[in-house]
Amino acid sequence: EAFNISIPTALFITLASYCMEVVVQPVTEGSWTIAFLYSVLVVLVIDFIQIALAVVAKWTLMGRYRPTIKPMWSWWAIRTEAVSVMFWGMAGKSIMDEMRGTPFLPWVLRAFGTKIGKGVYMDMDDITEFDFGTIGDHANLHALCALQTHLYANPLMEVACIHVGNYVNHVPGHFVCFDD
């Protein structure tokens, strides 16, 4: 939970305070317009630093995901949960929700390992085991839908691949689950 609650907030406050004191304040003495523009730029840079840290955490802790069945309390399951929490705490809270419906969200999710075709509309960012998601060209993934790549069946966690085909329209509130 430290990744989810404390670290993202502390990192944002630390970076924002530093940037405002060292970068923005000396450059913008007396100009509110320049101060505003620099502040927006600083926030965007901080957001991308948080996304980069989440990407590094994913590749460092998990590498590439492979289909598997593991005990829920195994080291593997704890690491994948840490990556998921890091993704939502660092990247999701900072800017991922604002990227929904834009071409930028697929770019970011590709950095995490999700295979996304061209012309994909994504109004959702609920992908947990990123390497298991394959989304075809010109697919539409609307709000409140999910790509469910894992299943908890006490005491096991099963993860497997899912595929959303080309030109698929995935409507709000529906889940795509993997087949056994």
Side-chain angles (χ1 to χ4, degrees), residues 156-176:
L156 300 174
M157 177 182 183
E158 180 178 3
V159 291
C161 299
I162 57 163
H163 177 73
V164 176
N166 296 335
Y167 299 98
V168 169
N169 187 27
H170 192 36
V171 298
H174 286 96
F175 287 81
V176 174

Side-chain angles (χ1 to χ4, degrees), residues 41-126:
L41 181 63
V42 162
V43 168
L44 288 174
V45 168
I46 292 169
D47 287 339
F48 288 106
I49 288 170
Q50 289 184 296
I51 289 171
L53 289 174
V55 169
V56 167
K58 187 270 183 188
W59 291 105
T60 302
L61 290 174
M62 294 306 299
R64 185 163 300 281
Y65 284 100
R66 305 276 182 236
T68 189
I69 299 174
K70 299 278 186 181
M72 274 177 55
W73 303 111
S74 67
W75 176 238
W76 186 92
I78 291 169
R79 286 182 316 176
T80 192
E81 186 63 24
V83 167
S84 180
V85 167
M86 186 76 157
F87 171 73
W88 289 110
M90 294 296 272
K93 287 181 183 176
S94 66
I95 198 168
M96 296 293 286
D97 277 342
E98 286 75 18
M99 288 183 179
R100 290 170 46 175
T102 71
F104 304 113
L105 182 61
W107 293 353
V108 171
L109 291 175
R110 285 182 188 114
F112 285 93
T114 306
K115 295 167 201 75
I116 301 174
K118 60 185 175 197
V120 172
Y121 171 79
M122 294 182 73
D123 192 13
M124 54 75 72
D125 50 10
D126 188 12

Side-chain angles (χ1 to χ4, degrees), residues 124-138:
M124 54 75 72
D125 50 10
D126 188 12
I127 300 174
T128 50
E129 290 81 26
F130 306 97
D131 302 304
F132 291 152
T134 302
I135 302 167
D137 295 340
H138 306 288

